[in-house]
Amino acid sequence: MATLSSLFNRSSFGIRCKTCLNLAISRIKLLRNKREAQLKHMHKEISQFLQTGQEAIARIRVEHVIREQNILAAYDILELFCEFILARIPILDTQRECPSELQEAVASIIFASPRCSDLPELMQIRNLFTTKYRKEFVSSASELRPDSGVNRILIEKLSVRVAPSDLRLKVLKDIAHEHNVDWDSSSTETEFRKKHEDLLEGLNSSNSPATAVDSLTNVTTNTDRHLVSLSAQNQKIHQFEPQMSLTNTNSALKTANSSVQSIANEQVKTGREQECHGANPVAICSSDVLERARAAIAAAERASAAAQAAAELVNFKRVAQVSSDEHNK
């Protein structure tokens, strides 16, 4: 009974895999014809942009052309792999593990299935391979592990990275030559050679994470200076407390306290703004920035506590002196 069940499952896998592969090959041919027609139309549009001097639009559209060319190249590779596996379905049926000569084809189809949404048959083939070869084999191909065996050219063609400037310039020249457009590429070459400012990292040192850290460092330094100034004010209060009223003392201490708090808050806010505008998304210095900000806020709180303690001390001495004078009288 187990033998009959095993034969039935093998036969079922072979039939379903063969059906999906045939459907995938047919769909690839249809999509290739459609994309080739779209590609010709895009070439014609870009040639018109180059002829009318709209090079900025052409430089943008050429990226779509390169993307379409890469997809067509990926279709060619996938079609060959599907035909290769289709011819060896009996071998897959008879072996539990994936044969070494078929590993590249199987792994490449598994890798491409979620990246080619217009080929749903590849996802069905992937599910069949998951059932037969377990999830570990499929995960190895999907995650591009060193022993996955995925075709390197297919990985490159399905990549979402922006095409290099040399390739974009070459495609623009080919399109101009194809449609006999007399195009001067000097301005486009100059534009491609420019090193544009990175919007995330920035080239301005004033917007760098190091500047934000330095700014937050100044918070602690300035706060400490105000603490020293506050101590000097407290000493003056103790020296001249017989001539100083209680209202003036409290007012002076509140002013010193508010000045420390306002300076700390302003500089912490400035540091955070600089961090937001110039911080690296990798956040190499983010922990240092937060620590400096916390230190600055803690220093401000210490200044506030020192001011309150000084006020209470002056009040206590003032009350004690008044009580002593009344007792002597």
Side-chain angles (χ1 to χ4, degrees), residues 59-188:
R59 287 194 291 266
I60 297 174
R61 293 290 184 87
V62 74
E63 295 182 9
H64 298 282
V65 171
I66 295 173
R67 176 63 178 165
E68 291 294 322
Q69 291 177 348
N70 289 339
I71 292 177
L72 286 174
Y75 282 173
D76 293 338
I77 298 173
L78 290 173
E79 184 181 9
L80 291 175
F81 283 150
C82 287
E83 292 178 350
F84 184 67
I85 296 174
L86 183 62
R88 288 162 175 78
I89 287 294
I91 299 177
L92 294 177
D93 261 344
T94 56
Q95 297 185 15
R96 292 184 177 180
E97 301 295 332
C98 181
S100 58
E101 65 272 13
L102 292 174
Q103 183 175 359
E104 181 180 8
V106 172
S108 298
I109 290 178
I110 291 173
F111 170 79
S113 57
R115 294 165 177 82
C116 297
S117 57
D118 48 357
L119 293 173
E121 292 81 8
L122 296 184
M123 187 60 70
Q124 296 176 7
I125 298 171
R126 173 195 175 105
N127 294 335
L128 292 174
F129 287 144
T130 303
T131 303
K132 185 174 181 60
Y133 300 129
R134 298 179 302 277
K135 293 182 179 180
E136 184 66 23
F137 179 83
V138 176
S139 299
S140 177
S142 301
E143 299 172 3
L144 292 178
R145 296 176 186 174
D147 57 344
S148 62
V150 180
N151 185 270
R152 297 301 173 185
I153 299 177
L154 183 64
I155 296 173
E156 180 182 353
K157 296 303 179 182
L158 294 179
S159 174
V160 295
R161 293 179 297 179
V162 179
S165 57
D166 295 340
L167 179 58
R168 284 180 282 170
L169 181 62
K170 180 180 180 300
V171 173
L172 285 174
K173 289 182 177 180
D174 293 341
I175 293 174
H177 179 71
E178 178 185 355
H179 292 84
N180 298 321
V181 176
D182 187 11
W183 172 56
D184 183 11
S185 62
S186 58
S187 61
T188 300

Side-chain angles (χ1 to χ4, degrees), residues 279-311:
N280 192 326
V282 184
I284 300 175
C285 301
S286 61
S287 59
D288 293 337
V289 171
L290 293 176
E291 290 298 330
R292 301 291 177 87
R294 293 192 186 101
I297 295 173
E301 292 177 352
R302 290 197 301 271
S304 176
Q308 294 177 359

Side-chain angles (χ1 to χ4, degrees), residues 46-47 49-50 54-63 172:
I46 292 177
S47 66
F49 289 137
L50 294 177
Q54 297 177 319
E55 296 185 13
I57 301 177
R59 287 194 291 266
I60 297 174
R61 293 290 184 87
V62 74
E63 295 182 9
L172 285 174

Side-chain angles (χ1 to χ4, degrees), residues 59 165 185-196:
R59 287 194 291 266
S165 57
S185 62
S186 58
S187 61
T188 300
E189 292 178 4
T190 304
E191 183 68 21
F192 282 156
R193 290 195 187 100
K194 286 183 181 179
K195 294 182 179 179
H196 299 283

Side-chain angles (χ1 to χ4, degrees), residues 13 32-33 38 46 58 73 76 80 88 164 168 187 204 210 236 245 247 252 254 264 287 295 302 317 326:
F13 169 80
R32 182 190 295 113
N33 295 333
Q38 292 178 350
I46 292 177
D76 293 338
L80 291 175
R88 288 162 175 78
R168 284 180 282 170
S187 61
N204 189 357
K236 291 181 180 180
S245 64
T247 305
K254 289 180 180 179
S287 59
R302 290 197 301 271
K317 288 187 176 182
E326 292 179 351

Side-chain angles (χ1 to χ4, degrees), residues 228-297:
V228 174
S229 176
L230 183 60
S231 299
Q233 291 182 10
N234 291 337
Q235 291 177 1
K236 291 181 180 180
I237 291 172
H238 292 304
Q239 291 175 1
F240 300 101
E241 62 179 352
Q243 294 82 15
M244 190 174 183
S245 64
L246 180 61
T247 305
N248 294 334
T249 302
N250 291 334
S251 177
L253 292 173
K254 289 180 180 179
T255 303
N257 182 22
S258 61
S259 65
V260 172
Q261 290 284 356
S262 61
I263 290 174
N265 292 334
E266 288 178 2
Q267 297 209 14
V268 170
K269 180 180 179 181
T270 303
R272 288 177 178 174
E273 289 178 352
Q274 291 181 356
E275 178 191 1
C276 293
H277 289 293
N280 192 326
V282 184
I284 300 175
C285 301
S286 61
S287 59
D288 293 337
V289 171
L290 293 176
E291 290 298 330
R292 301 291 177 87
R294 293 192 186 101
I297 295 173

